[in-house]
Amino acid sequence: MKSPSRSTTKGTIARQDSNNMATVSLASTNSISRGGSSGANTGTSSYATSTNIWAKLLGGNESVWDGLDGREDVYDDHDDDHLLDDNTIKSRYDDEGICGATPLKICALSAWYETRHFFRTLWKHPVIIVVSLAVFGLVCGLGMWAVQSEREAYVKDRMDTAKFVARETADYFVNEFRRSMVPLYGLREAVQYSGYFDALPDAIGNYPANLEAENVAILGGDMTQRNISGICDSPELLANWKSMVTKISDEHDLNGLIFRYRLWPKNVACLEFKGGQAMMDNGMDASYSPHPFWSQVVIDIQVDNWNGLHVFGPFAARLPTGEADVFCTHIPLWTSTTGENAFKDVVNVQGTDVQNVWGFTMLYLNWSEMKKRSNMYERFEDVNMEFELFREEEPRLGDVGPKGVPTKEMTKLAWSEQADKLNESNSVEVKTESLHGIWINRVGVVGGNGWNPDWWPTAVASVVVASFILMVLTAMTMTKSYLHKDLVKRMLPKQAIRKLQRGQTVVEKYNIVTVFFADIVGYTGAAGSMRPVQVMKMLNELYTELDKLAEKHQVYKVETVGNQYMVVAGAPLSVTGRVGAQRVALFALDAMNFVSKYQTKEGDKILIRAGMASGPTVAGVVGQAMPRYCFFGETVDFASKMEVTSKKMKVQVSEMTYRLLLDCVNLKFIMTKRMEGGIAGVEIKGKGQQITYWIEKASPCEKCFELATGSFALVPCGHIMCADCNEKHMMLPCPTCRCKVDDRVEWRGKPTKIVDESVEVEHAPNNLDEEVGLTSETML
């Protein structure tokens, strides 16, 4: 028997055509030797050849790179754009003249790949989303707090300004209004004590003396008129009246504000002063006139004893300068007559006898002129605010004023153009007491953002945008960090990463480790027509699925060298020898099951072989550039030779691994001793004849190897469990393949011994029913 020798070939791929059977082997420059005699002990006699698949594909060149040199069609495959860089794509598109292959499209395609990869990483690591949202919330919260603080300070300043201007304006009007009413007190005193007008009450007399007409129509109602000719038109009386009014008005600097004075002895309109001229009034008797306004005036000031000045307005009046808003103010005049002559001063005021009534005097205030002099419109315009000055209570002088204007329209004293848009949310109110009652000045900001500053929406949007940008940057930074960590974790164990980061040497010793090697040894189909990129895609698809199986069975993938696939259990995470051997064995069976069903897109199938060995190993990272976590020792070499001497679609294990699997508690393995030509074991170079075993199948217990009445077939994996094991693992995944169980179908047919030498049938759940007679009728 010839010992296996070292060579540069590794594995085989089988291809059959109509005339003959040709085989080629997959090679790798870094692969472990596979060569040996053509005897049965190698397990590869029917697949060994000196021609590897790369040489076959590339025209017999010695290396992959030599074969690629000078061939323009090697990567001419539009389905493989994701394997090429942007420059290659652009160059190929430019050469072939593909329509629309602009740099913009290439950038868009690259951006799409990056974006898709970014969101996949977010989905895989929800912590990135949580932290990014936390950053967004924190930054947005702090930013909004800062902006809100500035906004509140700005709003407070604006509202304080509004209150200040409103109060200042209201105080100005109150003071001016009070100052404008002072002449009325002086006029009252002058009338009572000057002696110029003492004879007027007796000359006019009580109603109906000197009655001229009743129910004379005037603005706002009807009046009773007395004939005051020869009484109130005396030149001396008019001269005294003019001199008195002019002096009082000049003393208080009220020219232009107070434009009219009137004197009503016996409540009869006798004298008036306006436009600088004294003249006789119209003779209206307010005590007997049905006019709603004037009747209410005399009732208020004489019958009800009005406290203070009786002010009414503002109402519209036509002046020589034009239309204006005016106030009229009334103050009663009383006599001090007592004794026998007291009855002469009794006046019937709208049906009520009132004693000591001399009459009353009044004046008219030009409210429009006062507003003009206050510059209130300019002041509010300077602070960009609107205002509305109004009385708190409504006038109580009936439905109309002296000119027939509705009294409800007289509550508004002054207002800006957009005062109607003021409300509680955009204005403040300042109350001030005046001779006219409680005045309220409402001041605010309309349009735009109200009290808020103009920069408020922009600032809020800027904070949100800045927070979003920081969130995205955080997510991108964390994504790159996690991608880097994931990549490093897939390359190195955690403890090795920590030591490397601290600059320490990574060397670890493990007492018992189970090592697994697998290699592609056969390929059915038109292998010669495959391009290198297609071969790479095929290997990537195959080994990606094996990686998923490795993760499922909790074994550690060491590396993929060429076509060779290596995993271990018991390192770097230490477990007992039995657990490690069990995990690797289940992974090996699951891998064989997958490969037996695997097909490429072209419908081709892959054939592999595998080997396992258990024992002590040393692991570590050698070098600093491109570090790799490698395993060293006799066990690794022995496992590699177990794979080299194995057979297609078979898993060969060493005697140590065999004993560890026999000692497994939760699973039972069926293993058969390898026999070649009546000789047990296989010849291993450097070790001689070694006893080895084939792993056939695994189940939770020996009963699970038989399909008896009461057994259960697991869906979708198809493994069989006895009733006891089914009850034990009712809420758990399949103990053999670790797959999730969707359903459990009870077997009610006759007992059947599951004996099948085909690994494909044994581990292909889709074919299990057909092989052992499991049909819908027999199960139900």
Side-chain angles (χ1 to χ4, degrees), residues 639-680:
S640 176
K641 293 177 179 179
M642 286 290 99
E643 178 267 315
V644 171
T645 59
S646 182
K647 292 184 178 182
K648 66 181 181 70
M649 302 307 295
K650 288 283 190 177
V651 181
Q652 182 176 224
V653 301
S654 66
E655 189 168 7
M656 173 67 76
T657 306
Y658 168 76
R659 295 184 181 277
L660 291 173
L661 293 176
L662 287 180
D663 293 338
C664 290
V665 178
N666 298 324
L667 285 174
K668 300 297 181 181
F669 290 88
I670 292 182
M671 295 173 285
T672 59
K673 182 180 294 187
R674 179 172 182 173
M675 302 294 294
E676 298 289 345
I679 302 176

Coordinates of all heavy atoms in Angstrom, one line a residue, residues 639-680:
A639 N -7.1 15.5 11.7 CA -8.5 15.8 11.1 C -8.4 16.0 9.7 O -9.2 15.6 8.9 CB -9.1 17.0 11.9
S640 N -7.3 16.7 9.2 CA -7.1 17.0 7.8 C -6.9 15.7 7.0 O -7.5 15.5 5.9 CB -5.9 17.9 7.6 OG -5.7 18.1 6.2
K641 N -6.2 14.7 7.6 CA -6.0 13.5 7.0 C -7.2 12.6 7.0 O -7.5 11.8 6.1 CB -4.8 12.7 7.6 CG -3.5 13.4 7.4 CD -2.3 12.8 8.1 CE -1.0 13.5 7.8 NZ 0.2 12.9 8.5
M642 N -8.1 12.8 8.0 CA -9.4 12.1 8.0 C -10.2 12.6 6.9 O -10.9 11.8 6.2 CB -10.1 12.4 9.4 CG -9.6 11.7 10.6 SD -9.9 10.0 10.6 CE -8.3 9.4 10.0
E643 N -10.1 13.8 6.5 CA -10.9 14.4 5.4 C -10.3 13.9 4.1 O -11.0 13.5 3.1 CB -10.9 15.9 5.4 CG -11.6 16.5 4.2 CD -10.7 16.9 3.1 OE1 -9.6 17.5 3.4 OE2 -11.0 16.6 2.0
V644 N -8.9 13.9 4.0 CA -8.2 13.5 2.8 C -8.6 12.0 2.4 O -8.8 11.7 1.2 CB -6.7 13.7 2.9 CG1 -6.0 13.1 1.7 CG2 -6.4 15.2 3.0
T645 N -8.6 11.2 3.4 CA -8.8 9.7 3.2 C -10.3 9.4 3.2 O -10.6 8.2 3.2 CB -8.0 8.9 4.2 OG1 -8.5 9.3 5.5 CG2 -6.6 9.2 4.1
S646 N -11.2 10.3 3.4 CA -12.6 10.0 3.4 C -13.1 9.8 2.0 O -12.4 9.8 1.1 CB -13.4 11.2 4.1 OG -14.7 10.9 4.2
K647 N -14.4 9.5 2.0 CA -15.1 9.2 0.7 C -16.1 10.3 0.4 O -16.6 11.0 1.4 CB -15.7 7.9 0.7 CG -14.7 6.7 0.7 CD -15.4 5.4 0.5 CE -14.4 4.2 0.5 NZ -15.1 2.9 0.3
K648 N -16.6 10.4 -0.8 CA -17.5 11.4 -1.2 C -18.8 11.2 -0.4 O -19.3 10.0 -0.2 CB -17.8 11.3 -2.7 CG -18.5 10.1 -3.2 CD -18.8 10.1 -4.7 CE -19.5 8.9 -5.2 NZ -20.9 8.9 -4.7
M649 N -19.3 12.3 0.1 CA -20.6 12.3 0.9 C -20.5 11.4 2.1 O -21.5 10.9 2.5 CB -21.8 12.0 0.0 CG -21.9 12.9 -1.2 SD -22.0 14.6 -0.8 CE -23.5 14.7 0.1
K650 N -19.3 11.3 2.7 CA -19.1 10.6 3.9 C -18.4 11.4 4.9 O -17.6 12.3 4.6 CB -18.3 9.3 3.6 CG -19.0 8.2 2.8 CD -20.0 7.5 3.7 CE -20.5 6.2 3.1 NZ -21.4 5.4 4.0
V651 N -18.6 11.1 6.2 CA -18.0 11.8 7.3 C -17.2 10.7 8.1 O -17.7 9.8 8.7 CB -18.9 12.5 8.3 CG1 -18.2 13.2 9.4 CG2 -19.8 13.5 7.5
Q652 N -15.8 10.8 8.0 CA -14.9 9.9 8.6 C -14.4 10.5 9.9 O -14.0 11.7 10.0 CB -13.8 9.5 7.7 CG -12.8 8.5 8.3 CD -11.7 8.1 7.4 OE1 -11.4 7.0 7.3 NE2 -11.1 9.1 6.7
V653 N -14.5 9.7 11.0 CA -14.1 10.2 12.3 C -13.0 9.3 12.9 O -12.9 8.1 12.6 CB -15.3 10.3 13.3 CG1 -16.3 11.2 12.8 CG2 -15.8 8.9 13.6
S654 N -12.1 9.9 13.7 CA -11.1 9.2 14.4 C -11.7 8.4 15.5 O -12.8 8.6 15.9 CB -10.0 10.1 14.9 OG -10.6 10.9 15.9
E655 N -10.9 7.5 16.1 CA -11.3 6.6 17.1 C -11.6 7.4 18.4 O -12.6 7.1 19.1 CB -10.3 5.5 17.5 CG -10.8 4.5 18.4 CD -9.9 3.3 18.5 OE1 -8.8 3.3 17.9 OE2 -10.3 2.3 19.2
M656 N -10.8 8.5 18.7 CA -11.1 9.3 19.8 C -12.5 10.0 19.7 O -13.3 10.0 20.6 CB -10.0 10.4 20.0 CG -10.3 11.5 21.0 SD -10.3 10.8 22.7 CE -8.5 10.7 22.9
T657 N -12.8 10.5 18.5 CA -14.1 11.2 18.3 C -15.2 10.1 18.4 O -16.3 10.4 19.0 CB -14.1 11.8 16.9 OG1 -13.0 12.7 16.8 CG2 -15.4 12.6 16.7
Y658 N -14.9 8.9 17.9 CA -15.9 7.9 18.0 C -16.3 7.6 19.5 O -17.4 7.5 19.8 CB -15.3 6.6 17.3 CG -16.1 5.3 17.6 CD1 -17.3 5.1 16.9 CD2 -15.6 4.4 18.5 CE1 -18.0 3.9 17.2 CE2 -16.3 3.2 18.7 CZ -17.5 3.0 18.1 OH -18.2 1.8 18.3
R659 N -15.3 7.5 20.3 CA -15.5 7.2 21.8 C -16.3 8.3 22.4 O -17.1 8.1 23.3 CB -14.2 6.9 22.5 CG -13.5 5.6 22.0 CD -12.3 5.3 22.8 NE -11.6 4.1 22.2 CZ -12.0 2.9 22.6 NH1 -13.0 2.7 23.4 NH2 -11.3 1.9 22.1
L660 N -15.9 9.6 22.1 CA -16.6 10.7 22.6 C -18.1 10.7 22.2 O -19.0 11.0 23.0 CB -16.0 12.0 22.2 CG -14.6 12.3 22.8 CD1 -14.0 13.6 22.1 CD2 -14.6 12.5 24.3
L661 N -18.4 10.4 21.0 CA -19.8 10.3 20.5 C -20.6 9.2 21.2 O -21.8 9.4 21.4 CB -19.8 10.2 19.0 CG -19.3 11.4 18.2 CD1 -19.3 11.1 16.7 CD2 -20.1 12.6 18.5
L662 N -19.9 8.1 21.5 CA -20.6 7.0 22.2 C -21.0 7.4 23.6 O -22.0 6.9 24.1 CB -19.7 5.8 22.2 CG -19.5 5.0 20.9 CD1 -18.5 3.8 21.1 CD2 -20.8 4.5 20.3
D663 N -20.2 8.4 24.2 CA -20.5 8.8 25.5 C -21.5 9.9 25.6 O -21.8 10.4 26.7 CB -19.2 9.3 26.2 CG -18.2 8.1 26.4 OD1 -18.7 6.9 26.5 OD2 -17.0 8.4 26.6
C664 N -22.0 10.4 24.5 CA -23.0 11.5 24.5 C -24.2 11.0 25.3 O -24.7 9.9 25.1 CB -23.3 11.9 23.1 SG -22.0 12.8 22.3
V665 N -24.8 11.9 26.0 CA -25.9 11.5 26.9 C -27.3 11.8 26.2 O -28.2 10.9 26.2 CB -25.9 12.4 28.2 CG1 -27.1 12.1 29.1 CG2 -24.6 12.1 29.0
N666 N -27.4 12.9 25.5 CA -28.7 13.3 25.0 C -28.9 12.8 23.6 O -30.1 12.9 23.1 CB -28.8 14.8 25.0 CG -28.7 15.4 26.4 OD1 -29.3 14.8 27.3 ND2 -28.1 16.6 26.5
L667 N -27.9 12.3 22.9 CA -28.1 11.8 21.5 C -27.4 10.5 21.3 O -26.4 10.2 22.0 CB -27.5 12.8 20.5 CG -28.3 14.1 20.3 CD1 -27.6 15.0 19.4 CD2 -29.7 13.8 19.6
K668 N -27.9 9.7 20.4 CA -27.3 8.4 20.1 C -26.9 8.5 18.6 O -27.7 8.9 17.8 CB -28.3 7.3 20.3 CG -28.8 7.1 21.7 CD -27.6 6.8 22.6 CE -28.1 6.6 24.1 NZ -27.0 6.2 25.0
F669 N -25.7 8.1 18.3 CA -25.1 8.1 17.0 C -24.9 6.7 16.5 O -24.5 5.8 17.2 CB -23.8 8.8 17.0 CG -23.9 10.3 17.2 CD1 -23.8 10.8 18.5 CD2 -24.0 11.2 16.1 CE1 -23.9 12.2 18.7 CE2 -24.1 12.6 16.4 CZ -24.1 13.1 17.7
I670 N -25.3 6.5 15.2 CA -25.0 5.2 14.6 C -23.8 5.4 13.7 O -23.7 6.3 12.8 CB -26.2 4.8 13.7 CG1 -27.4 4.4 14.5 CG2 -25.8 3.6 12.8 CD1 -28.6 4.0 13.7
M671 N -22.7 4.7 14.1 CA -21.4 4.8 13.4 C -21.0 3.4 13.0 O -21.1 2.4 13.8 CB -20.4 5.5 14.3 CG -20.7 6.9 14.7 SD -19.6 7.6 15.9 CE -20.2 6.9 17.4
T672 N -20.4 3.2 11.9 CA -19.9 2.0 11.4 C -18.4 2.0 11.2 O -17.9 3.1 10.7 CB -20.6 1.6 10.1 OG1 -20.4 2.6 9.1 CG2 -22.1 1.4 10.3
K673 N -17.8 1.0 11.5 CA -16.3 0.9 11.4 C -16.0 0.8 9.9 O -16.6 0.1 9.1 CB -15.7 -0.3 12.1 CG -14.2 -0.4 12.0 CD -13.7 -1.6 12.8 CE -13.9 -1.5 14.3 NZ -13.3 -2.6 15.0
R674 N -15.0 1.5 9.5 CA -14.6 1.5 8.1 C -13.8 0.3 7.8 O -12.9 -0.1 8.5 CB -13.7 2.8 7.8 CG -13.2 2.8 6.3 CD -12.5 4.1 6.0 NE -12.1 4.1 4.6 CZ -11.6 5.2 4.0 NH1 -11.4 6.3 4.6 NH2 -11.2 5.1 2.7
M675 N -14.2 -0.4 6.7 CA -13.6 -1.6 6.3 C -13.2 -1.5 4.8 O -14.0 -1.1 4.0 CB -14.5 -2.8 6.5 CG -15.0 -3.0 7.9 SD -13.6 -3.5 9.0 CE -13.2 -5.1 8.4
E676 N -11.9 -1.7 4.5 CA -11.5 -1.7 3.1 C -10.8 -3.0 2.8 O -9.7 -3.3 3.3 CB -10.5 -0.5 2.9 CG -11.1 0.9 3.2 CD -12.1 1.3 2.1 OE1 -12.1 0.6 1.0 OE2 -12.8 2.2 2.3
G677 N -11.4 -3.8 1.9 CA -10.8 -5.1 1.6 C -10.6 -6.0 2.7 O -9.7 -6.7 2.8
G678 N -11.6 -5.9 3.7 CA -11.5 -6.8 4.8 C -10.6 -6.3 5.9 O -10.4 -6.9 6.9
I679 N -10.0 -5.1 5.7 CA -9.1 -4.6 6.7 C -9.7 -3.4 7.3 O -10.3 -2.5 6.6 CB -7.7 -4.1 6.0 CG1 -7.1 -5.3 5.3 CG2 -6.8 -3.5 7.0 CD1 -5.8 -5.0 4.6
A680 N -9.7 -3.3 8.6 CA -10.4 -2.2 9.4 C -9.5 -1.0 9.3 O -8.3 -1.1 9.4 CB -10.6 -2.6 10.8

